[in-house]
């Protein structure tokens, strides 16, 4: 039994507009599951596949503006590519963001709804991830988070220290999932969360029970009667367990 990280979910005021921004930013396409939901994924992609972690943008009433605990880091292949990508993102409607990063080689931006993300300088470790290098989650204890998420998913732990943990699909493709030690992590409802999916033939209820035994707790984000289950990891980060597929 195991779960796969299949998408990052963004709460938005306008899912269509924000979805189009991220599609253009990543060079991907968009599709819709219906009013209020826009999926962003590679063109020709057959979901789910670990080669990509997709983006799901969902409209919610008046999403709060908070300090986000999860964000995307985008990969670049050269200094020229980084410069060109930043310029392209600014043309699409991104804005420079200051999160106290100081003088760093990466560029911090915010999408049109204020979600902060980073455009990284070229790094060999991310050369084959696709446009999303890594999904980063701020936390207080990377080692504890690595233990939970390593057991919750079938992803492989590549590195863990007191300050940082890095996991990736066991197939060695797609982006990384990283936990970064950050002081003053807030326990607030997050506009960005992760969606996990059981493998075809596995039992959603059994997976949810397994996650609770690992330390997950039930989360109410106003989801109502839905086929997925909302939980929170041991540090309070909400995530959803979708139906098997």
């Amino acid at each position: 039994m195991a779960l796969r990280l299949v998408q990052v979910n963004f709460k938005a005021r306008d899912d269509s507009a924000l979805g189009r921004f991220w599609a253009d930013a990543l060079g991907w396409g968009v599709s819709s599951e219906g009013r209020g939901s826009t999926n962003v994924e590679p063109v020709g992609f057959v979901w789910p596949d670990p080669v990509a972690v997709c983006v799901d943008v969902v409209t919610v009433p008046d999403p709060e503006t908070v300090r986000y605990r999860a964000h995307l880091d985008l990969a670049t292949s050269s200094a020229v590519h980084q410069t060109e990508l930043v310029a392209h993102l600014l043309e699409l409607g991104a804005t420079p963001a200051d999160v106290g990063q100081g003088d760093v080689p990466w560029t911090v931006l915010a999408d049109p709804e204020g979600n902060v993300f980073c455009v990284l300088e070229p790094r060999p470790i991310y050369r084959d991830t696709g446009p999303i290098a890594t999904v980063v989650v701020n936390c207080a204890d990377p080692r504890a988070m690595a233990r939970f998420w390593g057991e919750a998913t079938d992803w492989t732990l590549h590195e863990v220290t007191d300050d940082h943990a890095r996991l990736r699909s066991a197939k060695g493709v797609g982006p990384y999932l990283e936990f970064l030690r950050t002081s003053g992590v807030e326990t607030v409802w997050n506009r960005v969360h992760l969606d996990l999916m059981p493998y075809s033939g596995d039992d959603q209820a059994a997976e949810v029970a397994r996650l609770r035994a690992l330390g997950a707790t039930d989360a109410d984000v106003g989801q109502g009667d839905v086929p997925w289950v909302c939980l929170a990891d041991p540090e309070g980060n909400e995530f959803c367990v979708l139906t098997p597929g």
Side-chain angles (χ1 to χ4, degrees), residues 47-224:
W47 190 80
D49 186 316
V51 72
V53 171
C54 300
V55 176
D56 186 37
V57 186
V58 178
T59 293
V60 298
D62 300 323
E64 299 177 25
T65 299
V66 297
R67 182 177 178 180
Y68 308 112
R69 295 178 65 180
H71 71 267
L72 301 182
D73 281 354
L74 305 189
T76 61
S77 58
S78 67
V80 171
H81 182 205
Q82 182 185 18
T83 299
E84 291 177 344
L85 180 56
V86 169
H88 176 59
L89 293 164
L90 294 172
E91 290 176 354
L92 292 175
T95 53
D98 186 349
V99 293
Q101 68 269 21
D103 184 17
V104 293
W106 58 89
T107 302
V108 184
L109 300 173
D111 71 18
E113 290 210 10
N115 300 296
V116 171
F117 64 98
C118 299
V119 181
L120 302 180
E121 76 285 3
R123 300 184 191 181
I125 192 172
Y126 302 132
R127 67 184 181 277
D128 62 350
T129 60
I132 298 175
T134 181
V135 181
V136 181
V137 181
N138 294 339
C139 67
D141 187 345
R143 291 187 183 276
M145 292 291 275
R147 284 193 297 272
F148 173 83
W149 284 93
E151 293 186 50
T153 69
D154 63 353
W155 283 33
T156 300
L157 180 64
H158 283 248
E159 177 187 353
V160 61
T161 68
D162 289 342
D163 296 317
H164 179 258
R166 177 183 288 123
L167 300 92
R168 196 184 192 192
S169 166
K171 294 186 177 180
V173 296
Y176 289 83
L177 173 63
E178 302 188 27
F179 297 95
L180 181 65
R181 185 181 185 93
T182 308
S183 61
V185 174
E186 300 178 16
T187 53
V188 294
W189 179 72
N190 299 307
R191 285 183 61 185
V192 180
H193 73 258
L194 307 181
D195 284 343
L196 308 182
M197 175 182 281
Y199 284 89
S200 178
D202 284 351
D203 183 76
Q204 181 192 38
E207 286 290 350
V208 169
R210 186 175 67 86
L211 291 168
R212 290 185 179 123
L214 292 174
T217 54
D218 294 322
D220 185 351
V221 294
Q223 66 269 21

Side-chain angles (χ1 to χ4, degrees), residues 2-51:
L3 293 163
R4 297 164 286 174
L5 173 57
V6 293
Q7 63 189 19
V8 179
N9 183 289
F10 283 75
K11 301 293 188 296
R13 298 179 182 86
D14 184 338
D15 65 281
S16 179
L18 191 60
R20 174 51 60 190
F21 168 85
W22 279 104
D24 291 342
L26 300 172
W28 289 359
V30 296
S31 61
S32 177
E33 294 179 346
R35 185 175 182 181
S37 178
T38 297
N39 301 117
V40 181
E41 58 190 33
V43 176
F45 182 76
V46 179
W47 190 80
D49 186 316
V51 72

